[in-house]
Amino acid sequence: MDIGRAIYNILKNDTAVASLVGTDISPNIMAQTVKFPFIVYDVTSDDPVGQKDSVATLDVATVMVSAYAKTYAESN
């Protein structure tokens, strides 16, 4: 599973998030031309659970999501 793609889709399809940032959601970095507010996410670890005889049903991932805006209240 592509964790980054899953996080992007969760954020993009959330109506509350989309109403604030639209599609200004990016992995790792954001272009300098993008105006506030926006979201940057990063998958900091992805530990798949190995299975020899079947598909793994549980992977452990750590994700950092950062919201950037002109004010703390807006980013919160």
Side-chain angles (χ1 to χ4, degrees), residues 46-52 54-60:
D46 182 11
D47 296 322
V49 176
Q51 297 285 358
K52 290 186 177 187
S54 65
V55 176
T57 58
L58 176 66
D59 291 345
V60 178

Side-chain angles (χ1 to χ4, degrees), residues 12-76:
K12 181 185 74 156
N13 293 322
D14 185 284
T15 55
V17 172
S19 71
L20 294 170
V21 299
T23 58
D24 292 335
I25 303 167
S26 179
N28 305 101
I29 60 172
M30 183 61 75
Q32 288 184 335
T33 57
V34 173
K35 301 208 184 297
F36 291 113
F38 59 84
I39 293 175
V40 175
Y41 64 91
D42 191 20
V43 179
T44 57
S45 72
D46 182 11
D47 296 322
V49 176
Q51 297 285 358
K52 290 186 177 187
D53 60 350
S54 65
V55 176
T57 58
L58 176 66
D59 291 345
V60 178
T62 304
V63 179
M64 182 174 72
V65 178
S66 301
Y68 295 89
K70 290 185 178 183
T71 66
Y72 174 78
E74 189 178 15
S75 66
N76 196 21

Side-chain angles (χ1 to χ4, degrees), residues 4-17:
R5 183 175 292 140
I7 296 300
Y8 176 82
N9 285 329
I10 290 168
L11 293 170
K12 181 185 74 156
N13 293 322
D14 185 284
T15 55
V17 172

